[in-house]
């Protein structure tokens, strides 16, 4: 009986503390030199809102951080930031930034792919973004707690 109460309490605690933000990281490289990673960052959005919206279309970003050419850009500096879904699949983030050199850095997602453009001195440089999910700490904690509970039950049954 005590184990059941402990397991229920652990499950309730994990559910109450679970975040609703889906977090992703990305790296980008220019198409002319794909071996050189020139852009890195993370973005997140409220996955509950996306699920309620049918997982297709544009949804607000809840966070965005980019490192590019020694500068860091954040969601607060972005013009028109959002995340794009096409056919229920995450395409990527969209946002526009003005760089200190007077150029423009644009994250763009459309037609099932995600990329970026850096426009400076009347020249456009095009790159591709590679996006990957970031595991949430709550998910890991819940999984480890579940494995511990299974081990505890198996040990008690053996005795």
């Amino acid at each position: 009986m005590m184990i059941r109460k402990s397991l229920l309490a652990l499950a309730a605690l994990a559910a109450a503390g679970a975040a609703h933000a889906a977090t992703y990281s990305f790296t980008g490289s220019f198409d002319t030199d794909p071996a050189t990673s020139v852009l890195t960052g993370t973005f997140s959005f409220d996955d509950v809102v996306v699920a309620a919206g049918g997982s297709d279309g544009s949804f607000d970003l809840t966070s965005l951080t980019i490192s590019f050419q020694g500068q860091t850009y954040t969601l607060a500096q972005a013009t028109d930031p959002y995340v794009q879904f096409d056919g229920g699949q995450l395409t990527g983030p969209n946002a526009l930034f003005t760089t200190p050199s007077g150029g423009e850095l644009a994250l763009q997602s459309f037609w099932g792919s995600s990329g970026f453009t850096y426009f400076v001195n009347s020249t456009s440089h095009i790159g591709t973004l590679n996006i990957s999910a970031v595991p949430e700490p709550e998910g890991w904690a819940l999984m480890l707690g579940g494995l511990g509970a299974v081990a505890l039950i198996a040990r008690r049954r053996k005795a």
Side-chain angles (χ1 to χ4, degrees):
M1 188 69 154
M2 181 67 168
I3 292 175
R4 272 193 218 145
K5 288 182 180 180
S6 297
L7 289 176
L8 287 174
L10 179 64
L13 182 62
H20 293 292
T23 303
Y24 291 82
S25 64
F26 58 88
T27 58
S29 59
F30 288 115
D31 292 344
T32 54
D33 188 8
T36 305
S37 180
V38 296
L39 182 118
T40 60
T42 60
F43 66 94
S44 62
F45 52 89
D46 189 332
D47 54 357
V48 173
V49 171
V50 172
S55 297
D56 208 14
S58 303
F59 302 91
D60 291 336
L61 289 170
T62 55
S63 72
L64 174 64
T65 303
I66 300 171
S67 295
F68 179 68
Q69 294 186 340
Q71 297 290 321
T72 299
Y73 302 92
T74 64
L75 182 62
Q77 300 165 301
T79 301
D80 196 25
Y82 61 93
V83 64
Q84 182 70 41
F85 282 81
D86 289 325
Q89 297 295 314
L90 171 67
T91 304
N94 292 270
L96 177 66
F97 299 92
T98 301
T99 65
S101 62
E104 289 184 344
L105 173 63
L107 301 179
Q108 304 157 325
S109 300
F110 48 86
W111 296 312
S113 66
S114 190
F116 68 100
T117 303
Y118 177 53
F119 183 79
V120 66
N121 298 328
S122 301
T123 304
S124 215
H125 306 277
I126 299 172
T128 304
L129 291 179
N130 296 310
I131 300 171
S132 59
V134 175
E136 294 183 20
E138 294 88 2
W140 287 103
L142 185 59
M143 181 181 70
L144 290 174
L147 288 174
V150 168
L152 182 64
I153 290 170
R155 183 175 176 192
R156 290 185 59 92
R157 281 189 180 171
K158 205 176 200 182

